[in-house]
Every structure is written in C-alpha cells, then in structure tokens.
Amino acid sequence: MSLQIGIVGLPNVGKSTLFNALTSANVDVAAYPFTTIEPNRGVVAVPDSRLDMLAEMVGPDRVTPATVEFVDIAGLVKGAHRGEGLGNQFLGHIRTVDAIAVVSRCFRDPDIAHVEGDVDPIRDAEVLDLELILADLEVTDRRLDKVRSAARARPREYDEELKVLTELRERLEAGERARAWAERGEFRARLAKELQLLTAKKRIYVANVSEMDLPGGGPEAEDVKQLAREEETSCVVLCADLEAGLSDWPPDEAAAYRAEVGLQQSGLARLAKAGYRVLDLITFFTITGGQVVRAWSVERGTHAPQAAGKVHSQMEEGFIRAEVIPLEKLRAAGSWQVARDQGIVRIKGRDYQIRDGDVCLFRFSPA
C-alpha cells in the first residue's frame, strides 16, 4: 500500500495546482472555492537514485519504485466541522490518510481572492487547526457516550478508556491538538488510530510561494518554517505554479531550470522525503529472479517477517530467514552471486530490524 498524504488547506491556496504538479493529473483549477468536490487521487513514484543504481547493476525487465498517493481534498473553511462548504464530507476524506500536507498561501495575487481577505499563513493554519480540533471533539463525544453507556454495566472494563477519553476531550476543548495526547502511551496511540483523529496525524507544512521568492520563500514562508520548527516537523517551500509548469518539461530541462532558481530537487521529491521523515519510513529493495527490482517502504524498526509480508502475506506467515546485504556493499561486489561468494550476504532471523538501503531475499515456506 502506498504512503498516503492528504493535501489540505483553505480555498485558493494552491492545493489543486500542487496536486497537478505532483501527479500531472490536470484536475480542474480555478480561482474560486470548492473547485475540488470529490478528492482527487494520484499515485506517483518516489524518486530514489538508489533504485536507479540497483536497476543499472541488475538490468531487470521491470523496475517498480516505492509510491506515494496524494489526495487533494477541497478547501476547508470556518464551520467545516458543522458541514460548511461540505466540510463534513471533506473532513471524512482526511481521516484515512497517513499524513497531512498543510498548504499555506505565501504568495500575493490580486486576481486570486483569499477566502480570509489577505495573506496570512499563520492565521490560516489556526483556522484549519480549529476546524480539525472541533471535528475531533465531535468524534470524541460520540465515543464517550458509548463508553459511558457500556461502563454502567462493566465499569472496570471501561475505566481506562473513559479516563483517557475524558482527558482527550479536555485537551481538545482547550484548543490543543490530539498529537501530544496520542504519544503518551500505546493505549492512547491505538485509540487515536481507531478514532482516526485528524489532529493526531503527522503533518508537513508546504509554503506555496511565488517564483520570484524562490528558493527561500520570502517573509510569509519564514513564518511557516518557524511554525514547523516549533512543532518539530518538516516544511517544504515550493512554487506550485512553477512545479505544475515544469511537470510537462523533459526531466533534464526541468532540472536545469530548477537549478537556475536555486532548487536542487523537484517539489515531488522534497515532499515525498518530508513524508518519509515525519512518518519515520525507510526503504528496502528486492530483486526477484533477476527480472524485477523493487523498492518497498516500511516503518523504521520493522522486523524481517513483517517486511517480507509487504512483498507477500505468505512470506510473513511462512518466514524462514532473510538474506540481507546493504546496497552499497552489493554495488561494490558487482552482483548478488559475487557478494554471496564473498560471504557478505548476511543471514538474518525474525529479530532482525530492516535497515534503510537493505537489499533482501526472503526465504519462506509456502502454505
């Protein structure tokens, strides 16, 4: 399954333009709210030079990169939690994503009205946060009603959940997001995932700037960067209009133009990397019969059987061992067989935690 990132923000901040840039999907873009009614989805390859290097060495018939699915969700407005601007429907789409990319408008354009009147990315983030908090508060209240009812018959069984839900409600009412609450123990984290709390999701800030303000972004982008630093998360500065325009260019020409404006990578590459960072994901690789080279994404700390399960469920169920070599060592050896002959392919068992850049061959017993 792809890493899934929801692109959210107020209307007219450049979400759909960014989505076009990332996926070349050419969805409707207009200078008025609610251009996007249903969420647009696009699955795109995660740029990874290591996969290219492995493919060049192996010469496979097929190369399959890791992927990220971007979900473009219509602009949220004040009152979204009550259904303003079809808000309830849009908020429901956000609940299923792994992380949220909060797009902040940091450009000025008299031809594109701002729903709040003027450009202020910090105020916009506060409006967005309030709607997400209020939406989570409604979900929490519904769960509390059910737990209180069940606790009348079995108070001991529901004592802990009642306690932590009451604590969550108090924090949300105080205007706090659920993330800090969810990080205080496994039970809270599991409950946050079950309730699909919007404010417990990891987030990335995207400062959408004008091309003339690249690469730094200008004063409004600096405010967004500072907000990201305070929340210990990532901020990506980009110009959605520029990225959308360059998405149709030949890759070498697009790279040359980006270099002229001080950018070393595309917006897709930087946003995908930011998603990996905030979700603490790593990449491992497999070579199947010398014919297919593939990249896979897993959470850091994933054990070998669970990583094998990403390839196929039977591999996890019948896991025997993993044969593992770091990509750099495989490259130095020149081939899998040479690396095996040199004794640098390691045999790993169930307790082995997959590392970023591992090339793996999983041995398993078919059911």
Side-chain angles (χ1 to χ4, degrees):
M1 183 181 293
S2 300
L3 160 66
Q4 195 176 74
I5 297 177
I7 302 174
V8 302
L10 301 188
N12 296 346
V13 299
K15 299 182 315 304
S16 294
T17 302
L18 176 60
F19 181 82
N20 280 343
L22 298 173
T23 66
S24 299
N26 296 317
V27 300
D28 291 337
V29 178
Y32 51 85
F34 311 124
T35 302
T36 306
I37 304 246
E38 291 297 325
N40 296 296
R41 299 175 184 270
V43 179
V44 298
V46 176
D48 194 329
S49 60
R50 298 173 301 176
L51 180 64
D52 299 334
M53 180 179 70
L54 183 60
E56 183 178 346
M57 183 176 67
V58 175
D61 296 333
R62 188 167 79 250
V63 178
T64 304
T67 58
V68 55
E69 180 180 2
F70 290 103
V71 184
D72 177 27
I73 299 165
L76 299 174
V77 296
K78 287 181 179 178
H81 72 286
R82 297 191 302 270
E84 296 292 332
L86 303 180
N88 283 331
Q89 180 180 345
F90 299 159
L91 289 168
H93 296 315
I94 308 174
R95 292 195 183 279
T96 61
V97 301
D98 299 304
I100 295 173
V102 177
V103 181
S104 300
R105 178 172 170 175
C106 299
F107 66 89
R108 300 180 185 278
D109 187 334
D111 295 327
I112 302 177
H114 192 293
V115 70
E116 291 293 326
D118 60 346
V119 174
D120 185 342
I122 302 305
R123 176 209 57 213
D124 293 353
E126 291 172 351
V127 170
L128 184 69
D129 270 342
L130 177 59
E131 294 307 317
L132 299 184
I133 287 170
L134 291 172
D136 279 351
L137 191 57
E138 289 187 359
V139 170
T140 302
D141 281 341
R142 288 197 296 270
R143 181 60 170 254
L144 266 170
D145 287 342
K146 291 181 180 179
V147 172
R148 285 172 180 145
S149 178
R152 294 191 187 100
R154 303 187 299 277
R156 290 186 179 180
E157 184 176 339
Y158 288 94
D159 180 65
E160 182 180 9
E161 184 173 351
L162 187 59
K163 179 180 177 181
V164 297
L165 283 172
T166 301
E167 177 189 340
L168 170 62
R169 192 184 192 288
E170 291 172 353
R171 286 174 174 266
L172 292 171
E173 276 199 317
E176 298 179 30
R177 299 209 302 260
R179 180 179 172 183
W181 170 86
E183 292 175 346
R184 293 181 53 217
E186 188 174 326
F187 181 74
R188 288 176 176 81
R190 187 169 64 250
L191 193 56
K193 187 174 183 179
E194 182 181 340
L195 295 176
Q196 296 182 318
L197 295 176
L198 300 171
T199 61
K201 292 183 182 295
K202 300 292 181 67
R203 66 171 57 183
I204 307 157
Y205 285 99
V206 178
N208 185 18
V209 305
S210 65
E211 183 177 343
M212 69 179 63
D213 287 326
L214 290 172
E220 283 83 8
E222 287 300 324
D223 291 340
V224 180
K225 291 178 191 176
Q226 179 59 32
L227 179 61
R229 283 192 291 269
E230 291 171 0
E231 297 184 11
E232 299 181 345
T233 190
S234 296
C235 177
V236 177
V237 176
L238 52 76
C239 173
D241 275 340
L242 174 64
E243 294 290 343
L246 293 180
S247 64
D248 293 329
W249 287 30
D252 56 341
E253 294 181 18
Y257 190 86
R258 286 191 182 95
E260 289 183 13
V261 295
L263 300 175
Q264 296 180 345
Q265 293 180 310
S266 68
L268 166 60
R270 289 181 287 132
L271 189 53
K273 287 184 176 180
Y276 272 54
R277 282 195 299 272
V278 300
L279 293 171
D280 202 16
L281 300 178
I282 62 171
T283 302
F284 73 91
F285 305 93
T286 57
I287 305 170
T288 306
Q291 298 176 335
V292 180
V293 169
R294 183 161 183 172
W296 306 85
S297 301
V298 294
E299 291 184 13
R300 191 180 307 277
T302 296
H303 290 88
Q306 286 68 52
K310 291 280 289 186
V311 181
H312 197 287
S313 59
Q314 286 189 1
M315 289 188 175
E316 180 176 359
E317 295 164 3
F319 179 86
I320 298 173
R321 66 178 184 273
E323 298 178 15
V324 181
I325 182 173
L327 179 55
E328 289 298 331
K329 289 189 176 181
L330 178 59
R331 182 187 186 189
S335 73
W336 184 273
Q337 187 58 53
V338 170
R340 178 177 285 165
D341 292 343
Q342 293 177 351
I344 55 177
V345 176
R346 302 300 185 188
I347 306 301
K348 301 295 184 180
R350 292 180 173 277
D351 293 337
Y352 178 70
Q353 294 184 1
I354 299 295
R355 298 178 182 177
D356 190 44
D358 276 350
V359 183
C360 303
L361 174 62
F362 298 110
R363 300 292 186 182
F364 68 106
S365 175

